[in-house]
């Protein structure tokens, strides 16, 4: 099967083995749901309860294919998808360790107006050091999954931001895999890139991050 997008063609290897095809289909479905999950943004949904509902429904779909989202990752994506006016609340929640539950974080978001939260502090310096590391990790993960193409000009700056945040995560022993780099690259692209996002996410295995970036750069030239 050949996928074409604006003059580019990509070939998906086909097999007569139905089992192999089934595995490929599962992996493609997984990639597309992960892109959908990490691409969910508050500004696309009104009221905010619809935003939370979308996160939950996508997480449920991932769980159905044996790729459940942990409660802490639900919290991180909830925060990553919030716009800049929520920054004080995002910092407050991500500075708490352990992170609040997803239900509690949603409550904080719902009640954002007029509420204040206090970060628990400990006199134990060793405990504080561990907490600081976990807080730093959470904040970098929120930053990584919250990186959006529209916040950066030119597009190379968007890619550079993804790379720099991934490098920061690697420095604290939480490296981002190449495939997750590709998924976040696609998740952060706006709707005008949807055909290309579908093309790339329908390939298995996924292209490398560098190859995916090249495809995005080509599409950017077409859109300009």
């Amino acid at each position: 099967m050949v996928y074409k997008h604006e003059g580019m063609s990509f070939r998906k290897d086909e097999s007569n083995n139905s089992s192999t095809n089934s595995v490929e289909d599962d992996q493609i479905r997984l990639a597309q749901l992960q892109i959908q999950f990490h691409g969910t943004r508050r500004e696309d949904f009104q009221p905010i309860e619809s935003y939370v509902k979308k996160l939950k429904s996508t997480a449920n779909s991932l769980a159905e294919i044996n790729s459940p989202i942990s409660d802490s990752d639900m919290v991180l994506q909830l925060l990553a998808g919030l716009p800049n006016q929520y920054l004080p609340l995002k910092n407050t929640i991500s500075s708490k360790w352990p992170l609040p539950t997803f239900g509690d974080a949603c409550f904080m978001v719902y009640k954002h107006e007029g509420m204040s939260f206090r970060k628990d502090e400990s006199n134990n310096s060793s405990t504080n050091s561990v907490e600081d590391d976990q807080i730093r990790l959470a904040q970098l993960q929120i930053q990584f999954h919250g990186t959006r193409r529209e916040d950066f000009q030119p597009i190379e700056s968007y890619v550079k931001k993804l790379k720099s945040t991934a490098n920061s995560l690697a420095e604290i022993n939480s490296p981002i895999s190449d495939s997750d780099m590709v998924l976040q690259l696609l998740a952060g692209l706006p709707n005008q890139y949807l055909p290309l996002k579908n093309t790339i996410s329908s390939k298995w295995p996924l292209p490398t991050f560098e190859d995916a970036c090249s495809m995005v750069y080509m599409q950017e030239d077409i859109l300009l």
Side-chain angles (χ1 to χ4, degrees), residues 148-161 193 217 220 224:
R148 307 292 185 222
R149 162 67 182 97
E150 52 264 41
D151 294 332
F152 297 90
Q153 290 294 343
I155 193 167
E156 288 82 1
S157 296
Y158 166 61
V159 172
K160 184 177 180 180
K161 178 62 176 177
Y193 288 85
Y217 292 153
E220 179 79 1
L224 290 178

Side-chain angles (χ1 to χ4, degrees), residues 10-11 14 41 90 134 166 176 188 211:
F10 308 97
R11 182 172 184 82
E14 293 183 333
R41 308 176 192 184
K90 292 166 72 170
Q134 295 296 336
I176 303 294
D211 285 347

Side-chain angles (χ1 to χ4, degrees), residues 7-8 15 21 34 37 48 60-61 63 79 82 104 108-109 121 128 146 167 178 188 197 199 208 211 217:
M8 295 181 290
S15 169
N21 284 344
Q34 288 174 325
F37 181 72
I48 193 168
N60 287 340
S61 295
L79 301 181
L82 294 174
D104 287 345
M108 294 178 191
V109 171
E121 296 180 348
N128 283 345
N167 288 340
D178 194 76
K197 291 166 72 170
T199 294
T208 65
D211 285 347
Y217 292 153

Side-chain angles (χ1 to χ4, degrees), residues 182-199:
V182 174
L183 294 176
Q184 187 55 46
L185 172 73
L186 301 181
L189 294 174
N191 287 338
Q192 58 260 43
Y193 288 85
L194 186 58
L196 181 61
K197 291 166 72 170
N198 289 339
T199 294

Side-chain angles (χ1 to χ4, degrees), residues 153-224:
Q153 290 294 343
I155 193 167
E156 288 82 1
S157 296
Y158 166 61
V159 172
K160 184 177 180 180
K161 178 62 176 177
L162 286 174
K163 287 181 177 179
S164 67
T165 308
N167 288 340
S168 296
L169 282 162
E171 289 171 0
I172 57 173
N173 298 316
S174 294
I176 303 294
S177 69
D178 194 76
S179 60
D180 283 343
M181 290 291 293
V182 174
L183 294 176
Q184 187 55 46
L185 172 73
L186 301 181
L189 294 174
N191 287 338
Q192 58 260 43
Y193 288 85
L194 186 58
L196 181 61
K197 291 166 72 170
N198 289 339
T199 294
I200 295 176
S201 64
S202 295
K203 295 171 67 68
W204 192 259
L206 285 170
T208 65
F209 180 68
E210 293 303 324
D211 285 347
C213 287
S214 295
M215 296 177 194
V216 171
Y217 292 153
M218 291 176 67
Q219 176 64 13
E220 179 79 1
D221 290 339
I222 293 169
L223 292 174
L224 290 178

